[in-house]
Amino acid sequence: MEADSAPKRHDASRPDVARRNVLLVEDDPETQSELAKALSDSGARVVGTGSGEAALALMEQWPAGMVVVSDAIGGIGGLEVARRIHESSPDVPIVLMSEASDEKESEAKAVAARLAGVFATLTRPFDRRVLAELVVAMAVAADVVMS
């Protein structure tokens, strides 16, 4: 228990993603909180919202470097949010968190996501650490491309 309460030090072996702002769009508050914690623990700055409309408004006001969006949000759906963000900010990578009942549906959603400009699709359930590692890998790739 003492290790958990100790302040976290920067791990020099992990890429610095602190400069990356991640917009997290998830309408379940508990899931949003868990994912935001995992992303924050990986060094990202996270702003969360529960609706597609709010996500689009935030993209106009806040410099998101990445977007993680659920396909199951109410209002403007996750795929449409991804499409609009990709259209207005094509350099911002987007991760779609998808729910599928079977492999065929999962593949169909992945194809639709690619057409909407999504960089990667994670099918639920997934370990939240997988999302954090994906964001770290995307930040590293972006740093390599930009240098």
Side-chain angles (χ1 to χ4, degrees):
M1 301 245 342
E2 289 181 19
D4 290 339
S5 62
K8 294 185 180 174
R9 292 188 217 174
H10 177 71
D11 182 351
S13 68
R14 294 184 54 91
D16 184 12
V17 295
R19 69 177 189 81
R20 295 301 244 165
N21 295 330
V22 178
L23 175 58
L24 175 60
V25 189
E26 168 59 58
D27 62 356
D28 178 63
E30 185 176 322
T31 301
Q32 185 184 111
S33 177
E34 290 172 4
L35 294 174
K37 180 173 180 354
L39 292 169
S40 294
D41 287 350
S42 74
R45 290 175 295 221
V46 181
V47 169
T49 184
S51 77
E53 293 83 357
L56 295 173
L58 276 166
M59 282 298 293
E60 293 179 12
Q61 302 168 12
W62 190 67
M66 294 179 200
V67 176
V68 178
V69 60
S70 171
D71 72 344
I73 56 175
I76 299 173
L79 274 175
E80 180 61 16
V81 169
R83 187 192 66 74
R84 290 186 191 184
I85 290 172
H86 180 70
E87 188 176 89
S88 65
S89 304
D91 293 337
V92 173
I94 302 165
V95 175
L96 182 74
M97 300 178 295
S98 177
E99 297 184 30
S101 58
D102 59 33
E103 190 174 326
K104 188 174 181 178
E105 182 183 6
S106 179
E107 289 176 17
K109 283 188 175 187
V111 169
R114 280 294 209 193
L115 293 173
V118 170
F119 177 81
T121 302
L122 291 175
T123 302
R124 295 179 197 214
F126 58 84
D127 187 317
R128 65 181 184 233
R129 292 173 295 190
V130 171
L131 176 60
E133 290 300 321
L134 178 59
V135 168
V136 168
M138 291 167 57
V140 169
D143 288 343
V144 169
V145 170
M146 296 180 89
S147 44

